[in-house]
Amino acid sequence: ALLKFACAVFLCGSDSVGKMDGKSTKEDIMQALKEESDREFMKDILNSLSTKCFTKCVSKPGERLDKAEQTCLAKCVDRFLDSRAVVFETMQERGSSRD
């Protein structure tokens, strides 16, 4: 609902936001959209991480993980997060070099 509202305001040029509370309302909407985007991004990373590492490390799902599975999962998570950090830093560098 918030996304539809923000799209209507910013894409259709509605003046209703400006009449409600001026600049702070637009900033509030933009902040809410950023927070929602951040939540979705983190959810996607966790889903991807869970799927990739579980598939790689757990051959026979059961009630408990054995020591080898625990070690594999820990290393997989570390590598996954390290690679995401490198990609994120590279994207930031490329973005800042365009400015």
Side-chain angles (χ1 to χ4, degrees):
L2 180 60
L3 182 58
K4 286 182 183 179
F5 174 72
C7 289
V9 169
F10 294 112
L11 297 178
C12 299
S14 171
D15 290 332
S16 60
V17 170
K19 292 177 184 174
M20 289 166 51
D21 190 22
K23 191 175 180 180
S24 65
T25 302
K26 288 182 182 179
E27 290 172 359
D28 292 342
I29 292 170
M30 294 305 292
Q31 181 63 32
L33 289 172
K34 182 186 179 320
E35 289 172 4
E36 180 64 26
S37 175
D38 291 347
R39 277 192 293 276
E40 286 297 315
F41 178 72
M42 290 304 297
K43 186 173 85 172
D44 290 345
I45 286 177
L46 289 174
N47 285 336
S48 181
L49 172 69
S50 298
T51 301
K52 289 177 192 256
C53 291
F54 186 85
T55 301
K56 178 182 178 184
C57 297
V58 181
S59 56
K60 297 177 186 175
E63 289 184 18
R64 296 175 193 252
L65 298 172
D66 64 28
K67 186 69 174 167
E69 291 170 331
Q70 291 176 15
T71 301
C72 179
L73 285 169
K75 289 180 180 180
C76 181
V77 169
D78 287 343
R79 282 191 304 270
F80 186 89
L81 294 176
D82 288 345
S83 66
R84 288 289 179 164
V86 168
V87 169
F88 183 72
E89 287 172 17
T90 302
M91 289 174 59
Q92 280 187 320
E93 289 171 5
R94 288 183 182 172
S96 65
S97 68
R98 290 182 184 167
D99 293 340

